[in-house]
Amino acid sequence: MANIALRAARQAGQIILRAMDRLDKLTVEEKANNDFVSNVDREAEAAIVEILHKTYPTHGILGEEQGSSYTSDEYTWIIDPLDGTTNYLQGIPHFCVSIA
């Protein structure tokens, strides 16, 4: 499971890093006060979900952006595809992909 999570995190990381040089072109919304989400967050989460669901179709997935994608009584993956969105949007390179 750790290897699959690492593969998913690396795929999301590629999406995030490719977009970092064009931050001014991102679509950004404010979910709550000082809580932002961009199209990069959503694309990264979709990539993670795709990899996890392809490998483990019966596992639950709870993503920060999409909410609950799949439910399971045995396993649930919890995803924050771009942990540190505020830093990312300001060009501060202190952010990560979180998968638990």
Side-chain angles (χ1 to χ4, degrees):
M1 285 187 207
N3 287 333
I4 297 301
L6 181 59
R7 181 182 306 156
R10 285 185 174 154
Q11 180 66 35
Q14 288 177 2
I15 292 167
I16 292 165
L17 290 176
R18 276 195 307 261
M20 194 162 186
D21 64 348
R22 53 189 167 90
L23 294 176
D24 59 326
K25 297 184 190 232
L26 297 181
T27 303
V28 179
E29 298 171 24
E30 191 170 12
K31 296 188 297 187
N33 191 27
N34 290 323
D35 186 12
F36 300 96
V37 62
S38 72
N39 56 313
V40 173
D41 292 81
R42 291 185 177 111
E43 290 172 26
E45 184 170 301
I48 294 167
V49 168
E50 181 180 337
I51 290 168
L52 294 178
H53 187 65
K54 181 178 177 182
T55 307
Y56 303 110
T58 62
H59 288 194
I61 298 175
L62 178 61
E64 181 181 21
E65 311 313 334
Q66 294 178 322
S68 182
S69 298
Y70 305 96
T71 58
S72 170
D73 291 335
E74 190 171 0
Y75 294 102
T76 299
W77 295 89
I78 301 172
I79 302 165
D80 187 347
L82 179 48
D83 196 354
T85 300
T86 302
N87 283 348
Y88 179 79
L89 294 174
Q90 295 178 17
I92 301 169
H94 296 281
F95 53 85
C96 66
V97 175
S98 296
I99 302 174

